[in-house]
Amino acid sequence: SVQTVAAAAEPSVAVVDQVVEQVTAPERRLAQEPRVESPPQPVAVAKPLSPAIPTSPVAAEAEPTGAQDFDADIASIFGEEAGELLAVARAGLDHFAELVTELKRLLHTLKGGARMAGIRSMGDLSHHMETLLADTESGRLASEDDAIAVLHASLDELHRMRDLAGAGQRIPPATELIERARRVAAGLPS
């Protein structure tokens, strides 16, 4: 039954919630810590012998050149904070792949359960969501924002479909959402 499929997915939803909690807990802790600010102190800054050459494909922002722009005390505090932020960012990036994989697995399970229950429209929408997540994961999408918007709308629709199925009502196909997912996957405006 639909309730059985939903109940089977609940532990996996808890796993997703745990991953999100692990990724965001250090950031929330940092936001709660008091900030120590010291007034800027003039510091002599040596001019580089040659212009800085960016070492990554990302365009480098212009560095401030005035002596009043650099404060060794603030830089020291920032260094500690930056280390923690970078550690959180690394953990988030590591968990991102796990989270996407878990979401695809949940949708794959939902797709199979819906199709076994004869609720093809739920299975079809779940399939297109799973495909859109795979495209997002592989970097083939022009707009991840559009993909996320379609995924949110699709999850809302899947909840509505589940409610209709639970009430014994027929569930029409989510033709508009599936078309939006296809357009996003093709790089077209949704």
Side-chain angles (χ1 to χ4, degrees):
S1 76
V2 173
Q3 289 85 5
T4 305
V5 171
E10 285 304 317
S12 297
V13 171
V15 169
V16 172
D17 289 343
Q18 288 174 345
V19 170
V20 170
E21 175 63 26
Q22 289 173 354
V23 170
T24 60
E27 184 177 282
R28 283 194 316 277
R29 182 183 54 75
L30 284 175
Q32 293 171 353
E33 290 181 2
R35 302 248 182 222
V36 177
E37 303 265 345
S38 61
Q41 306 272 332
V43 176
V45 177
K47 291 185 180 182
L49 297 176
S50 63
I53 300 172
T55 57
S56 71
V58 176
E61 292 184 20
E63 287 291 323
T65 57
Q68 71 278 5
D69 293 335
F70 180 79
D71 182 306
D73 292 333
I74 292 175
S76 174
I77 293 167
F78 170 74
E80 292 174 24
E81 181 180 358
E84 291 177 17
L85 293 171
L86 290 170
V88 170
R90 170 70 67 190
L93 189 57
D94 292 344
H95 287 107
F96 175 75
E98 294 171 18
L99 185 58
V100 171
T101 299
E102 180 65 10
L103 288 171
K104 288 189 317 186
R105 189 189 68 72
L106 290 169
L107 289 166
H108 185 80
T109 302
L110 183 64
K111 172 182 70 178
R115 287 182 174 167
M116 282 191 319
I119 309 170
R120 184 160 187 85
S121 55
M122 278 186 85
D124 290 347
L125 183 55
S126 298
H127 168 74
H128 286 283
M129 290 177 68
E130 183 183 4
T131 300
L132 195 55
L133 276 169
D135 289 344
T136 301
E137 183 179 43
S138 70
R140 288 189 295 252
L141 297 181
S143 172
E144 286 186 17
D145 290 341
D146 286 345
I148 290 170
V150 170
L151 290 167
H152 276 289
S154 297
L155 278 175
D156 291 343
E157 180 62 14
L158 286 170
H159 279 281
R160 191 186 71 75
M161 289 175 162
R162 180 207 57 205
D163 293 344
L164 289 173
Q169 297 178 7
R170 291 187 57 84
I171 303 168
T175 309
E176 181 181 316
L177 276 171
I178 290 171
E179 182 55 32
R180 279 180 63 194
R182 287 180 177 149
R183 291 180 64 77
V184 168
L188 302 170
S190 64

